[in-house]
Amino acid sequence: MLNSSITCLWLLVLFAAANIDAFNCHVNYSFTEEQALLGCGWWRRHNTSQMHDHCSWEGISCNAAGNVTKIKLGWHVGGELEALNFAALPNLESLDLRGCGLKGSIPYQVGMLSKLNKLVLARNSLTGDLSQSLTSLTQLRWLDASSNYLSGSIPLRISCKNLIYLNLGANKFVGLIPSSLGYLPRLKVLQLERNYFTGDIPASFRNLNLTRLDLSRNKLTGVIPSAVENMSNLLYLNLSHNNLSGTIPSCLCNLCQLSAIDLSNNSLSGRRTCSHLFIRSTVTKENDSNTSGNKDLIVLCVAVSVSVFVGVLFLGVILVKHYKSKRIQSKREALKNGDLFSIWNYDGTIAYEDLIEATNNFDIQNCVGTGGYGSVYAAALPGGKVVALKKLHQMKREEPAFEKSFRNEAQVLSNIRHRNIIKLYGFCLHDRCMFLVYEYMERGSLFSVLRDEIGAVHLSWERRVNIVKSIAHALSYMHHDCRPSIIHRDLSSNNILLNSKLEGFVGDFGAARLLHQESSNYYTAAAGTLGYMAPELAYTMVATERCDVYSFGVVALETIMGRHPGELLSSLSSMKSVQDLPLNAVLDSRLPHPADVMVDRSIVLVLDLALACLNSNPKLRPTMQHVSTEFQK
C-alpha cells in the first residue's frame, strides 16, 4: 500500500513538472513572438508599451493559445522586409503587407512558415528574385507579389498544390513561363502581366480551369494555344501587347462564361469578335474573315428591322406608360423596405441585375482593388460600357448612423461637376449590399503606375505636371466652389486614378466630410493614409482644408520623384525655397532630364508649390485656390 502511494506521488510530481515546463515553453514562445514584432519596428506609432498583450496590437490576430496567426498592416512602414524575424512566427497563416513601402529581397525564412496559406506583398519596392523557398509552401492558397521590382525567372518547380490565386504582375521577371504552373490543380487566377516573359504560352495550361488569365504586356511569341478551350469557367482573358501570331482560335467563342477578352497589339489574324463577347483585337485586314460582309444580308436585316419597328411602335407607347406606373410603384415599395437603387448621368438604363451579373455577384476574381472603405470591382455592362463598383465593407455597414452618412455623401458627390473628379453614376443601398457606381479608370492608381517600370516611363514630365495641376484644380473646386465645402481627408497617390490617356482624377471619397459655413473645423478620428497625413491631424484631431493641402504637397512630390518622398519630408522644414532641394535626387531618374525650358519651369513650379504646401505650420500653407491659380498663370 505504501509503495502504491509513493508511486502515485511520483506520478503527480512528474505531471506537475511537465505542465510547468509546458507553461514556461508557451510563455517563452509568446515572448519570442512579441520580441520579433517589436524588433522590426513596424508598430512604433501604436504605443505598444501600454498594450501588454501583442495579440491586441493593430493588425495582429492570434489563436486561442496566444500565437500569432495573422498579420495585416494598413500603413507605411518602410525599411527591409527581412526586419521581421519570420522564424519566430511558426504559426503564421496569413501575412498581408501590401503597400507598406518595404524594400529589399524576400528572405528565405518566409519559406519556413509551413502553415502559411495567404501571402500578400503587393505594391512595395521589393527587389531580387522570387525566393525558391516560397515554392515549398504546401499550404499556400493565395500569393500576390505584384507591383514590385522582382526580377529573374519564376522557379521551375512549384509544389504549391493548394494555390488558387497567383499574381506576379508588374514586376521585372524574365525567361519562359514555367510549364509547372499548368500542374497546379486548384489554380483559378493567374496574372503575370507587365513583365518580360518570352517564349510560348505553355501547353500545360490545358490542365488548368482558370477564371482569370492575364499575360498582357510581355514578350510572348507563338500562337494562342487551343488549351484555353478547356477553361470552361474563364471570365477574363488578356493577352494584349505581346508578339503572338497565327489565327485567333474559334474555340474562344464557345466559352459561354467569358465576358471580356483583349487580344490587341499582337500579329493575329482571323475572327474579330464573337457576338456575346467584348473583344479588343488587332488582326490583319487581308485575313479578316468578317471584312467580306454580305450586302444582301445587310439590306434584308435593315428591312426586317424597319418592319418590326413599325409594328412594335404602337405597342411600345402603351408599354412605356405601364412601365412608368410600375416603376413608381416599385420605387415606393423599395423605399418602404429600406432598399434604394439610383443612377445619375448615364445614357441608358443600368439594371441592378446587370451590375450583379457583370461582377459575378462580386466574385473576388473581378476585384481590381481594395481599400479601407470598400473593394472595387470592374463591371462590363451588356452594352459594352465598363464601370467600377465600390462595394462597402461589412464592418462599415454595421457602424451606427452609417446609412444616413452613406445617403448624404452619395447625394453630395452626385452633384459634383468637375472634370478632374471621378464621376459618380449612382449607388445601391440595401441592408445586405451597399455599393457605389463610378466611372472606370483604365490605368488604375497613380501609385501603381509610378511603381511600374514600364508605366512610369510613359508618364512623361509634361503628363506628370498635368496630373498635379488636375489634383490642384479638383481640390480648389472642393474647398472653395462647393457649398458646403468638401475636404477629402485621405488624399494619396492610391486615390488619384488615371484614365487611358494618363489624365489624373481625384477619387475615393470614402473619408470625405462636409465643412459647413459656420465651422472651419471638423473634429474627427484620425483619417487618412500614413505618410500623407498632415502632422497636426495626429494630435489635434481637427480636419481642415489645410490638411488636404499638406497631402497634396506629398502627392505632388511623389509624382515628380516617382516614389514617396519619405525621408525627405523630415528635412523640408529647414528648406525655404526650391533652390534648397537636391534636384538631381528629387527628379525621377527613369526619365531623361527635361530639355524643354517650359517643362523645366513647370517642374520647378510644382516643386516650389509642393514645398509651400508641406509647411509644418498649417496657417502658412497656401490655399488650394492659390495653388490652382498659380498653375493657370
Side-chain angles (χ1 to χ4, degrees), residues 106 173 191 244 262 309 379 463 466:
I106 301 176
F173 289 114
Q191 295 190 212
L244 299 174
D262 192 347
F309 174 77
R463 282 174 171 165
N466 287 334

Side-chain angles (χ1 to χ4, degrees), residues 9 61 132 159 222 246 255 280 298 307 315 339 341 372 392 395 419 522 569 623:
L9 181 62
S61 298
Q132 181 72 38
S159 56
L255 300 176
R280 294 177 55 205
I298 294 175
S307 300
L315 181 60
D339 305 337
F341 179 70
L392 306 187
M395 63 178 182
R419 70 176 307 274
Y522 186 91
L569 292 177
T623 65

Side-chain angles (χ1 to χ4, degrees), residues 428-562:
C428 174
L429 176 61
H430 189 281
D431 292 340
R432 293 171 297 172
C433 183
M434 290 185 184
F435 62 79
L436 300 164
V437 186
Y438 281 106
E439 180 181 7
Y440 182 68
M441 295 284 116
E442 294 86 351
R443 299 304 293 270
S445 68
L446 175 62
F447 177 95
S448 60
V449 174
L450 285 175
R451 282 151 185 80
D452 175 19
E453 199 68 20
I454 300 175
V457 175
H458 287 303
L459 274 182
S460 62
W461 292 120
E462 185 175 4
R463 282 174 171 165
R464 296 187 187 211
V465 170
N466 287 334
I467 288 172
V468 175
K469 289 181 179 179
S470 299
I471 302 171
H473 297 330
L475 290 176
S476 176
Y477 169 83
M478 291 165 54
H479 291 177
H480 303 283
D481 296 328
C482 291
R483 293 293 180 270
S485 300
I486 302 174
I487 52 174
H488 193 284
R489 293 205 313 158
D490 192 16
L491 190 72
S492 69
S493 59
N494 258 320
N495 295 332
I496 304 302
L497 304 176
L498 307 180
N499 63 7
S500 58
K501 298 179 182 179
L502 292 174
E503 297 171 328
F505 296 81
V506 177
D508 201 342
F509 287 82
R513 289 295 182 268
L514 306 177
L515 284 179
H516 295 279
Q517 293 180 349
E518 64 270 16
S519 173
S520 60
N521 301 330
Y522 186 91
Y523 289 85
T524 176
T529 303
L530 290 177
Y532 298 89
M533 291 171 56
E536 70 274 8
L537 186 59
Y539 55 85
T540 65
M541 297 301 178
V542 178
T544 68
E545 294 99 328
R546 301 302 170 99
C547 296
D548 279 353
V549 174
Y550 182 90
S551 300
F552 166 80
V554 178
V555 174
L557 269 185
E558 183 178 359
T559 306
I560 299 301
M561 297 175 65

Side-chain angles (χ1 to χ4, degrees), residues 71-189:
I71 298 177
K72 183 176 182 179
L73 303 188
W75 59 89
H76 185 279
V77 296
E80 303 283 331
L81 176 59
E82 61 182 13
L84 180 62
N85 182 8
F86 295 101
L89 304 167
N91 290 285
L92 197 62
E93 297 175 1
S94 177
L95 179 63
D96 191 338
L97 303 177
R98 77 185 77 192
C100 292
L102 295 168
K103 300 179 292 185
S105 58
I106 301 176
Y108 73 91
Q109 290 92 341
V110 177
M112 300 167 60
L113 303 174
S114 59
K115 297 182 180 180
L116 195 67
N117 61 64
K118 183 175 182 179
L119 177 61
V120 180
L121 302 173
R123 303 201 305 272
N124 284 290
S125 299
L126 300 176
T127 56
D129 56 8
L130 192 65
S131 178
Q132 181 72 38
S133 61
L134 295 183
T135 63
S136 61
L137 295 173
T138 56
Q139 300 300 316
L140 197 64
R141 301 175 71 248
W142 191 287
L143 174 58
D144 187 352
S146 60
S147 299
N148 281 286
Y149 300 104
L150 298 172
S151 57
S153 58
I154 298 180
L156 297 179
R157 295 186 61 215
I158 297 180
S159 56
C160 308
K161 300 299 182 182
N162 291 310
L163 202 62
I164 295 175
Y165 182 97
L166 177 60
N167 188 350
L168 302 178
N171 278 288
K172 296 182 177 180
F173 289 114
V174 297
L176 302 177
I177 298 176
S179 59
S180 56
L181 293 179
Y183 299 101
L184 299 176
R186 299 186 178 181
L187 193 64
K188 296 298 181 184
V189 176

Side-chain angles (χ1 to χ4, degrees), residues 224 245-253 261 263 267-274 279-283:
I224 300 176
S245 57
T247 304
I248 300 176
S250 59
C251 63
L252 291 180
C253 295
I261 298 179
L263 307 177
S267 300
L268 299 168
S269 61
R271 190 180 181 95
R272 280 182 184 272
T273 60
C274 302
I279 300 183
R280 294 177 55 205
S281 60
T282 301
V283 300

